[in-house]
């Protein structure tokens, strides 16, 4: 009976997660704001097939001209989806699995974590409030924010294993977070540091961070040092300037509006930024009970509650002075992204109420009634296949999405039209044949009928690309308009071979990760002995 009592809350959370995600289990796919993940998954799949490990270059991004997407955009979620794809699932179904899983493991581990502080009933409240929060539905069904959705739900898992003193597991999980979503990591680390102060585990915290950083060096070092080689500065300009996307008090606390549009300039938006009525009322109630003499963990509750409302404050324009003090915060782009950590803190505090069964059922039913309707897609495309999604207008739309984020910074203009996917004749008379490209190489035959010719490859230059003509290493130019690889050929038949290889910083970063991984494996073996 006791075992059943212990497992029942987990079964209830699993049932809830199923109810929130069952719509994604149907054949087909759904509309979303970030409609580029299926294409990037297909590019990640191509990258592995071409032997580029770790993946760095996406040959068909930027309207087919290529971009170093995976050198800068964390790809852990694509790696997980690729495991399912290699197991026989379609790309669409593999991606949907990664969308579905977080609403299972995130709430379950938040329950297990808060249960340690406030008992099973408190843990169950926090799990249900977290799973049913409107922002979870925004990330999943409105934005389709794959990495952020996964990372937000990974945070409770990290805290649980850190609390349990499972250092090696925490290292692995924090590494996964670093390779999933950098912005989530940016607020997770300060929270974990504060938690380590409460737990008196400062040494453990720094050990975990050091190991995780070194394990992820293959991605972290190039993404930081080489970012000036791309146009990623556009990610904080114009529409993406955070100053345009603050929330209002009405949107946060009272507005029940729901939409599938965009975050717009000013106070009127086509999507919801509510924290959830129950999600903020219960923490206030918990604040009242925190001052009771027999309340355990009083200072923990007050501290976490303050942090939660501080994150909410950062979503409001009155916090602009703080955003000015820390320029790195501009990369959040949308201040309402901080609803994620605010939600984690408020759900944790809500668990401190430790309700009886009647109050527990009332809270769960009220939260379900208020928020369940948000967990549905805007448009469902029945029986959509990988081929349909990755051809024609669907493909072009995904290729062009996020074009300015990581386009190589060696051109005067951005591509406006899709690449022809064959070498481009600048002058001369030629015949083209057997052109192929992937994440690692591009090659083909060119027969020049005129005395000379100039060729542009439909590949945007990014360090480090090595060209060979007829087996000999050859120099080339960078076409200034789109930054394409350009070279001259004399009359006759020629074979070209272009290889994308690592820069010194990428090679060093790879070695750091490899040696750290070996040391980590040795550490695990020694600890077991």
């Amino acid at each position: 009976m006791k075992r059943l009592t212990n497992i029942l809350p987990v079964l209830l959370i699993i049932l809830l997660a199923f109810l929130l995600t069952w719509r994604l289990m149907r054949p087909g796919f759904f509309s979303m704001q970030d409609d580029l993940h299926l294409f990037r998954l297909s590019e990640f799949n191509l990258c592995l097939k071409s032997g580029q490990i770790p993946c760095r270059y996406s040959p068909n991004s930027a309207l087919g001209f290529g971009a170093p997407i995976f050198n800068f955009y964390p790809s852990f979620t694509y790696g997980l989806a690729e495991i399912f794809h290699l197991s026989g699932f379609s790309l669409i179904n593999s991606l949907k699995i990664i969308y579905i899983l977080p609403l299972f493991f995130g709430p379950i581990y938040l329950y297990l974590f808060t249960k340690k502080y406030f008992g099973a009933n408190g843990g169950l409240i926090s799990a249900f409030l977290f799973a049913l929060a409107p922002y979870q539905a925004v990330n999943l069904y409105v934005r389709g924010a794959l990495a952020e959705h996964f990372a937000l739900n990974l945070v409770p898992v990290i805290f649980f294993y850190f609390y349990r003193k499972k250092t090696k597991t925490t290292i692995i999980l924090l590494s996964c977070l670093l390779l999933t979503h950098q912005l989530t990591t940016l607020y997770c680390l300060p929270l974990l540091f504060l938690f380590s102060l409460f737990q008196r585990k400062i040494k453990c915290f720094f050990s975990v961070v050091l190991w995780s950083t070194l394990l992820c060096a293959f991605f972290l070092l190039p993404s930081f040092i080489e970012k000036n080689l791309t146009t990623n500065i556009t990610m904080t300009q114009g529409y993406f300037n955070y100053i345009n996307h603050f929330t209002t008090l009405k949107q946060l606390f009272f507005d029940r509006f729901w939409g599938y549009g965009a975050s717009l300039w000013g106070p009127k938006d086509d999507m919801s930024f509510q924290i959830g009525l129950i999600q903020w009322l219960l923490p206030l109630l918990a604040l009242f009970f925190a001052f009771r003499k027999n309340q355990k963990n009083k200072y923990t509750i007050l501290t976490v509650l303050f942090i939660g409302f501080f994150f909410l404050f950062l979503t409001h324009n009155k916090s602009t002075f703080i955003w000015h003090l820390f320029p790195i915060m501009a990369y959040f782009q949308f201040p309402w992204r901080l609803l994620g950590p605010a939600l984690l803190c408020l759900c944790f505090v809500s668990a401190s109420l430790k309700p009886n069964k009647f109050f527990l059922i009332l809270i769960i039913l009220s939260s379900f009634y208020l928020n369940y309707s948000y967990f549905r897609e805007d448009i469902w495309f029945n029986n959509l296949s990988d081929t349909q999604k990755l051809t024609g207008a669907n493909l072009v739309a995904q290729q062009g999405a996020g074009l300015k984020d990581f386009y190589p910074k060696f051109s005067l203009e951005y591509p406006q039209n899709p690449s022809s996917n064959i070498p481009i004749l600048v002058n001369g008379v030629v015949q083209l044949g057997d052109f192929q490209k992937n994440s690692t190489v591009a090659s083909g035959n060119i027969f020049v009928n005129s005395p000379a010719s100039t060729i542009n490859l439909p590949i945007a230059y990014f360090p480090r690309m090595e060209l060979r003509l007829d087996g000999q290493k050859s120099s080339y130019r960078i076409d200034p308009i789109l930054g394409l690889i350009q070279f001259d050929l004399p009359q006759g038949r020629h074979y070209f071979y272009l290889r994308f290889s690592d820069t010194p910083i990428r090679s060093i970063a790879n070695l750091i990760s490899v040696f750290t991984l070996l040391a980590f494996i040795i550490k695990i073996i020694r600890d077991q002995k």
Side-chain angles (χ1 to χ4, degrees):
M1 182 61 70
K2 184 178 179 181
R3 185 177 181 182
L4 178 61
T5 304
N6 289 335
I7 200 172
L8 183 59
V10 175
L11 294 177
L12 288 174
I13 296 170
I14 291 173
L15 175 61
L16 174 65
F18 174 80
L19 292 174
L20 298 179
T21 60
W22 72 268
R23 302 185 67 84
L24 299 182
M25 301 177 190
R26 299 172 291 163
F29 205 52
F30 64 110
S31 61
M32 65 184 75
Q33 293 176 0
D34 295 352
D35 189 16
L36 46 72
H37 295 300
L38 190 73
F39 167 72
R40 286 188 176 177
L41 175 57
S42 71
E43 289 292 282
F44 189 86
N45 177 59
L46 177 64
C47 180
L48 293 184
K49 287 182 177 179
S50 64
Q52 188 182 86
I53 300 175
C55 290
R56 300 195 183 276
Y57 194 78
S58 170
N60 300 304
S61 289
L63 291 175
F65 291 97
I69 298 295
F70 305 119
N71 199 54
F72 302 97
Y73 188 86
S75 54
F76 180 74
T77 49
Y78 301 134
L80 280 183
E82 179 68 7
I83 293 173
F84 288 100
H85 180 56
L86 293 176
S87 301
F89 291 89
S90 67
L91 291 172
I92 284 179
N93 288 334
S94 300
L95 195 64
K96 287 195 295 183
I97 290 172
I98 307 306
Y99 274 117
I100 290 169
L101 286 177
L103 281 181
F104 282 84
F105 64 72
I108 286 175
Y109 274 94
L110 186 60
Y111 161 75
L112 295 174
F113 177 66
T114 52
K115 177 186 174 183
K116 299 293 182 181
Y117 285 86
F118 308 114
N121 286 0
L124 201 56
I125 277 188
S126 66
F128 268 71
L129 293 185
F130 183 60
L132 285 163
Y135 189 63
Q136 292 270 29
V138 166
N139 277 341
L140 178 55
Y141 285 104
V142 179
R143 298 175 62 205
L146 181 68
E148 188 170 346
H149 174 58
F150 193 95
L152 174 62
N153 286 278
L154 187 59
V155 173
V157 189
I158 294 172
F159 272 75
F160 173 76
Y161 281 104
F162 187 82
Y163 175 85
R164 292 282 303 275
K165 300 181 181 179
K166 303 289 185 179
T167 304
K168 292 183 288 296
T169 304
T170 308
I171 290 170
I172 294 171
L173 291 169
L174 184 58
S175 300
C176 293
L177 184 64
L178 286 166
L179 299 176
T180 298
H181 197 246
Q182 292 162 308
L183 295 179
T184 301
T185 308
L186 204 58
Y187 66 69
C188 177
L189 287 180
L191 290 177
L192 194 62
F193 174 73
L194 289 175
F195 182 62
S196 70
L197 288 177
F198 278 112
Q199 296 291 310
R200 299 179 181 178
K201 298 178 182 177
I202 300 296
K203 184 177 179 181
C204 179
F205 168 80
F206 284 108
S207 174
V208 166
V209 172
L210 178 61
W211 275 101
S212 300
T213 302
L214 292 176
L215 284 170
C216 300
F218 73 91
F219 170 75
L220 297 177
L221 275 179
S223 67
F224 178 75
I225 295 175
E226 296 185 337
K227 66 180 180 180
N228 64 318
L229 301 176
T230 70
T231 57
N232 79 326
I233 189 64
T234 60
M235 297 174 68
T236 61
Q237 297 175 340
Y239 171 79
F240 299 104
N241 190 324
Y242 66 85
I243 206 71
N244 302 312
H245 300 284
F246 284 112
T247 63
T248 66
L249 294 178
K250 180 182 177 182
Q251 288 176 320
L252 284 173
F253 297 107
F254 305 108
D255 201 346
R256 294 278 298 161
F257 166 79
W258 192 259
Y260 293 87
S263 174
L264 304 176
W265 292 271
K268 292 186 178 181
D269 297 275
D270 291 334
M271 58 188 293
S272 175
F273 305 129
Q274 56 178 303
I275 191 67
L277 188 61
I278 304 295
Q279 278 78 2
W280 69 264
L281 280 175
L282 286 185
L284 290 182
L285 188 60
L287 175 63
F288 173 77
F289 285 107
F291 288 98
R292 294 184 305 180
K293 291 183 178 180
N294 61 342
Q295 176 62 276
K296 190 180 178 182
N297 301 309
K298 177 189 299 184
Y299 296 108
T300 300
I301 294 168
L302 295 176
T303 302
V304 176
L305 183 63
F306 171 79
I307 294 172
F309 276 98
F310 178 72
F311 277 120
L312 289 183
F313 172 68
L314 289 176
T315 71
H316 193 272
N317 62 11
K318 294 299 182 182
S319 69
T320 304
F321 72 96
I322 298 177
W323 289 79
H324 288 334
L325 287 175
F326 301 97
I328 193 174
M329 291 177 66
Y331 283 96
F332 276 96
Q333 300 172 315
F334 308 103
W336 44 259
R337 273 179 160 159
L338 295 174
L339 287 172
L343 178 64
L344 285 165
C345 294
L346 297 183
C347 289
F348 175 84
V349 170
S350 298
S352 67
L353 291 171
K354 295 185 283 189
N356 57 36
K357 290 183 180 179
F358 173 77
F359 190 47
L360 174 65
I361 294 172
L362 180 63
I363 291 173
I364 289 175
L365 291 179
S366 299
S367 185
F368 191 86
Y369 172 77
L370 289 170
N371 299 323
Y372 179 68
S373 61
Y374 299 146
F375 288 81
R376 60 184 302 119
E377 74 289 342
D378 184 22
I379 303 171
W380 187 263
F381 303 101
N382 287 316
N383 299 312
L384 186 70
S385 67
D386 292 349
T387 302
Q388 291 171 320
K389 189 65 176 174
L390 296 172
T391 54
N394 282 331
L395 175 62
V396 173
Q398 293 175 88
Q399 286 180 317
L403 185 150
K404 296 181 180 180
D405 293 352
F406 306 112
Y407 195 72
K409 194 177 181 179
F410 301 95
S411 65
L412 298 175
E413 300 176 3
Y414 294 103
Q416 301 294 323
N417 300 301
S419 164
S420 61
N421 283 325
I422 59 172
I424 304 165
L425 179 64
V426 178
N427 61 61
V429 180
V430 304
Q431 291 178 332
L432 305 171
D434 301 326
F435 177 69
Q436 299 178 16
K437 67 174 181 177
N438 56 37
S439 296
T440 306
V441 300
S443 62
N445 295 302
I446 300 178
F447 186 80
V448 181
N449 294 316
S450 55
S453 68
T454 301
I455 302 294
N456 278 354
L457 295 182
I459 298 171
Y461 168 78
F462 188 74
R464 178 177 185 181
M465 292 179 173
E466 180 183 282
L467 177 66
R468 289 185 175 272
L469 295 174
D470 302 322
Q472 301 296 317
K473 187 175 181 180
S474 177
S475 61
Y476 57 83
R477 300 181 295 276
I478 302 173
D479 175 68
I481 306 301
L482 295 179
L484 307 182
I485 302 290
Q486 184 180 90
F487 54 87
D488 300 319
L489 289 175
Q491 190 172 27
R493 183 180 297 274
H494 303 280
Y495 175 75
F496 69 87
Y497 182 89
L498 183 76
R499 182 173 184 83
F500 180 81
S501 56
D502 283 331
T503 57
I505 189 62
R506 291 179 217 145
S507 297
I508 292 171
N510 290 344
L511 288 174
I512 291 174
S513 292
V514 168
F515 284 121
T516 305
L517 179 60
L518 291 174
F520 187 63
I521 293 172
I522 293 172
K523 174 180 171 60
I524 292 174
I525 294 173
R526 284 182 174 177
D527 288 349
Q528 286 179 341
K529 290 182 177 180

